[in-house]
Structures are given as structure tokens and as C-alpha cells.
Amino acid sequence: MPVEILIIGGGVVGCAVARELSRLDASVTLIDRADDVAEGASKANSGIVHAGFDAKPDSQKARFNVAGSRMFAGYCREVHAPFVRAGALVLAFDAEQRAHLDKLLAQGNNNGVEGLRMLEQAEVLAMEPAVNPAVLCALYAPTSGLTSPYELTCALADHAAVNGVRFQLNTEATRITRDGSGFAVETSRGVIRADVLVNCAGVFSADLHNQISPRRLSIVPRKGEYYLLDHEETPVFSRTLFQTPTKMGKGVLVSPTAHKTMVLGPTAQDTADALDVATTADALAQVREKALLTWPQMSLRTVITTFAGMRAHEVGDDFIVGETEGAPGAYEAVGIESPGLTAAPAIAQALAAQIAAAHSLTPKAAWVPAPQRPKPFADMTDEERQAACERDPAYGSLVCRCEQVTEAEVRAAIRRPVGARNIDAIKRRTRAGMGRCQGGFCSPRVMEILAEELGISPLAVTKFGGESRVVVGTIADAAKGDA
């Protein structure tokens, strides 16, 4: 019988681990409490691939950050996910901040980050003319990059699935106990037994860890709030702009995204509620105030949405990756906050290697490459669009005007190996609803296509799973009630 491996958590780390384990001759299942992968921190972060200069030397964060950063470009090519090697600047506005950047430069060199150097004011402004002219200097990190965290997570899930990993969503792990030489995991959909357990549960990872390990861990949910600005013909900045970091994190950044929008944020507020991702006026005012220091000409007239994400901050302030102390056969990635996205490829590789060695797992005879992704309609030339419409007339039906997403692309998103099952899942895979109207025009058509493809009533279509139904009845039913 093959070794049964259960992964808890469908974020970027969990899906990266699933992909690595799919190379091995084992039976792998991934569960997540949500209706889709990437529903936690992996859908709500800045999408920055960090260079690794601000991680404490000799820490797990530093090790996995730098290793992951080096892997990232090739990693995204393999699974057909967006990646841009944009570079980053950390800005200083006074002598004290300059001294801090000198420390970051030395720290980054110690961590093995390549290409770091200090720039004086004139060079900073030559690179990014819209930066506050009061800037004194900046630390330049050319290896910093940009990705789409949710698109990457979905691509990793698809690659794992075509290589045999089972994805069981809407399945919340509630209790873990020893079951002979393995584990019994009580879930919202029954008990799952596994020989090997991999805990990638984000803000809930310490809770699961503490059920099977004598070592106590504690996660403090740390909320970050953001503004998202609409894309422009010519982005104002080409690089990620950080301010000098504080003990609460890297601070408010101003950055382009992989899709040429602009993101501002995040804040950093510790909270007791790991599921509270509501935005607040006070926190967004902080983002605006701090972003203005970087970009004095900033206007919020092009804001298309605000959002919040929750980071899993472990009180020891480091990643905890490897076999779970006191629980042979259990492995974990706990406290994976920033730079967790960057570190994900390296974390997954390390965990898979450790599991393979401990359980004598051998590579499969054949491992299928990641599914190809057709070029987005929005990026096609006129000639390519005409050819696409001739192949599939559904390319001629535009669903999302803001982001130029077609019916063919929406249907393809639902039919993927780990396909979309709700409106937000369509948005993450196609960008339908990501534009300036935020789904105001396209959501009804997306809802219709979901109902057709899934064979369900439009009344059963949800925004993000659970009870988030988009419509509650029909006009005909309402008329009957009034009669």
C-alpha cells in the first residue's frame, strides 16, 4: 500500500508542498477549510518576491527567503505563473534611516543576496522620477520581483492535481490524534487517516501543532490593509518602493503589480480574530499618510478596491519548518508570514526531501509537466485574437470589459484540474471582476456560466463559498409571495 500523506492548508506553501510530493510514489491528499485554494494570506498580499536582505542572518526566514528568491523565475516558468524581475528600492529620508540601510546592506550581503548596493539621491530620482525628491538615499535590490500570489497558488494546485494529488476543499481540520503509527484527523467532513501529516494551515497552524507536540507554539494574527489602484498606460513606478522597515515589518510600500496595477500598504495590526479581514477607515488613512512620503503626487482617484490580509506571525519571529517536535511522521510549516510567498518553493522542496528520506519514498516513473495556459485574451494581438475566435467562438464573447476577459477563459477556469467553483475563484484565475468596476458588469454573466458549467441553479452560486450566495430568489418567486 502506498504511503498516505495528508496536507492541511491550500495556500501557496501547501500547494507548493503538494506539487513537490506529487513527484513521489505516494498517495497525497490536500484539504482546506475554504471553497478554493489561496483563500487565506495567499490571496491578500502585495505579491512581492523579496530579495532577502531584511531577514535576520542564520534564521529560517533568511535561508528560505534567499533560496526561494533564486528559484522563483524558473519556478514560475515551469507552472506558467506571472513573474517580473522588477527590482526594489528601500528609501531613507534622514541620517538615522541611512544608518539602518547600511545595516540592511551588510545583513543582505551576509545572507547571500546578490547585487545589493546603496544609491544616492540623484541616482534614485533618475531611476524613479516620481519618488519624493526629499529622499536621501536608497538600498537597491535588483533581484526583488513581482508575481501574482493567487495565480501561482492555483497553478501549483493544478500541477499537483494532474500528477495525482487529491484536493478536498470545504474540509476543515478540527482535531488531530495519534492513530497507531499514523494520524487520525477529524474534519468537518469526517475522519481522515494518514501515515504522514503536513501542517501548512497558516494562522491556524500553531493550534494544530499544539495538539500533537509537547513544544508550545503561538501564532498572533497580524492584519495588513491595502489600497489597489487601477492600471494605467504607463505605470508611475517600475520598481517596488519600500520605506525603512520597523519591528512590525517592512512598512508601507508603493509598488506596481505583475498586472501593472499599483498596490499601497500594508498596515500591521495584531488582532485576536484570525478571520477578520475587514478594512477600516483608520488603517487605510495610515496607508495613505505613509504612502505620501514615498509618492507626494499620489492620488486616490484611481483606487478600485481596498482589501486586507492576515499574516501568521509566530511569537518567536521565525519560520518553523521541518518534522514536528515530538510527533514522528508529522511535518510543518508554521509562522509563514512575509517573506513566505518568496520562500514557498524552497520550503516545499525541503519538506518533500525530508519526507521522502524518512519514509523511503522514490520518484514516480513519470511526472507530467504543468498544464499549459493559453495566452490571456487581453495580451493578444489582433491577429491572435482573430485566430482564437476561429478556434473557439466563445473567445468572441467578452465577459469582463475592464480586464478584457472572454467567455472562453471563464469556462476554461472552471474546467481546470482544480477549477473555480465560485465568483471569486473565477476572478483569481482570469481577472474577471478585478478591474475598475470590480465585477459590477461581469458578475451576472460569470454567475450564469458557473451555473451552466457546474450544473447547479444560479441561486446556488456563491461569491466565495459557504453561504455567500449572490442571489436569494427570483422575480417570479417574489411576485408569488406578494400575491
Side-chain angles (χ1 to χ4, degrees):
M1 294 291 290
V3 173
E4 294 282 349
I5 303 176
L6 178 66
I7 303 166
I8 304 175
V12 67
V13 173
C15 290
V17 170
R19 175 182 182 262
E20 288 301 315
L21 291 176
S22 75
R23 300 175 186 267
L24 305 175
D25 190 12
S27 175
V28 184
T29 300
L30 182 147
I31 65 172
D32 194 277
R33 66 191 301 277
D35 196 43
D36 192 20
V37 297
E39 272 285 6
S42 298
K43 75 172 182 184
N45 64 71
S46 52
I48 308 300
V49 179
H50 294 285
F53 54 79
D54 54 352
K56 183 179 178 181
D58 302 318
S59 66
Q60 293 275 60
K61 281 186 179 180
R63 172 192 164 200
F64 287 116
N65 184 164
V66 176
S69 179
R70 289 173 178 162
M71 295 170 65
F72 227 91
Y75 197 72
C76 288
R77 279 196 303 271
E78 287 179 12
V79 297
H80 313 296
F83 178 75
V84 180
R85 186 73 74 185
L89 296 170
V90 189
L91 308 177
F93 292 92
D94 57 39
E96 184 179 352
Q97 290 182 355
R98 177 194 281 272
H100 191 86
L101 294 194
D102 287 334
K103 293 178 181 177
L104 288 181
L105 174 60
Q107 184 169 275
N109 288 333
N110 188 55
N111 289 347
V113 180
E114 299 170 352
L116 291 175
R117 63 189 179 96
M118 291 290 290
L119 307 181
E120 297 303 321
Q121 181 188 56
E123 196 169 2
V124 175
L125 294 176
M127 278 188 171
E128 298 288 356
V131 164
N132 188 342
V135 66
L136 184 64
C137 61
L139 176 63
Y140 178 44
T143 59
S144 180
L146 306 170
T147 189
S148 170
Y150 38 86
E151 289 181 66
L152 173 59
T153 304
C154 292
L156 292 169
D158 284 348
H159 196 191
V162 298
N163 282 287
V165 175
R166 295 180 299 277
F167 283 77
Q168 188 172 314
L169 303 174
N170 294 305
T171 305
E172 181 177 7
T174 56
R175 188 165 182 263
I176 305 172
T177 55
R178 273 286 184 188
D179 183 24
S181 60
F183 303 89
V185 180
E186 296 179 24
T187 79
S188 55
R189 296 175 62 186
V191 176
I192 302 175
R193 289 177 170 80
D195 303 307
V196 176
L197 186 69
V198 188
N199 174 8
C200 302
V203 290
F204 301 105
S205 56
D207 296 338
L208 297 179
H209 164 100
N210 291 340
Q211 293 178 18
I212 56 175
S213 174
R215 177 189 179 187
R216 301 289 93 179
L217 297 180
S218 180
I219 293 287
V220 177
R222 181 168 288 173
K223 183 162 77 169
E225 302 186 32
Y226 297 84
Y227 282 106
L228 184 67
L229 279 58
D230 199 8
H231 47 67
E232 300 181 10
E233 289 294 327
T234 304
V236 177
F237 299 106
S238 59
R239 299 166 184 82
T240 299
L241 304 176
F242 295 101
Q243 294 175 10
T244 304
T246 70
K247 64 179 181 179
M248 290 297 282
K250 300 175 180 67
V252 169
L253 58 81
V254 175
S255 179
T257 70
H259 293 287
K260 299 182 180 180
T261 54
M262 293 282 293
V263 65
L264 316 176
T267 53
Q269 179 65 48
D270 292 347
T271 176
D273 185 352
L275 298 177
D276 175 20
V277 290
T279 55
T280 63
D282 287 346
L284 292 172
Q286 292 176 35
V287 172
R288 179 183 180 277
E289 178 183 355
K290 292 176 181 178
L292 281 168
L293 177 61
T294 295
W295 183 16
Q297 302 305 315
M298 180 190 74
S299 168
L300 297 183
R301 290 176 61 87
T302 61
V303 168
I304 52 176
T305 193
T306 60
F307 64 94
M310 199 67 69
R311 287 166 268 175
H313 176 70
E314 206 281 319
V315 295
D317 197 28
D318 199 5
F319 295 164
I320 299 168
V321 177
E323 189 168 26
T324 304
E325 185 175 322
Y331 302 83
E332 61 192 3
V334 177
I336 310 302
E337 58 181 341
S338 181
L341 170 64
T342 311
I347 290 173
Q349 193 176 73
L351 283 175
Q354 193 172 4
I355 292 167
H359 300 276
S360 302
L361 300 178
T362 56
K364 288 177 179 173
W367 192 62
V368 180
Q372 287 286 343
R373 296 278 169 261
K375 188 175 185 179
F377 187 79
D379 297 338
M380 292 181 184
T381 64
D382 288 344
E383 292 76 15
E384 289 171 332
R385 290 181 175 185
Q386 181 175 344
C389 291
E390 289 171 356
R391 289 193 309 271
D392 182 353
Y395 270 105
S397 175
L398 203 61
V399 172
C400 173
R401 288 182 276 178
C402 299
E403 297 296 315
Q404 299 285 290
V405 180
T406 66
E407 179 182 331
E409 292 168 296
V410 174
R411 293 190 185 276
I414 301 167
R415 299 170 186 172
R416 284 171 63 161
V418 182
R421 294 294 179 268
N422 59 58
I423 288 176
D424 280 0
I426 292 288
K427 177 170 66 175
R428 285 189 290 273
R429 287 164 176 80
T430 68
R431 295 192 60 78
M434 284 275 189
R436 68 186 60 177
C437 86
Q438 289 290 289
F441 286 99
C442 63
S443 289
R445 182 59 184 141
V446 169
M447 182 178 70
E448 290 175 353
I449 296 171
L450 275 165
E452 292 170 12
E453 289 284 332
L454 300 178
I456 60 177
S457 165
L459 299 179
V461 174
T462 66
K463 187 176 188 299
F464 50 81
E467 297 301 315
S468 62
R469 290 181 176 83
V470 181
V471 294
V472 297
T474 66
I475 295 173
D477 288 340
K480 291 176 184 176
D482 292 339

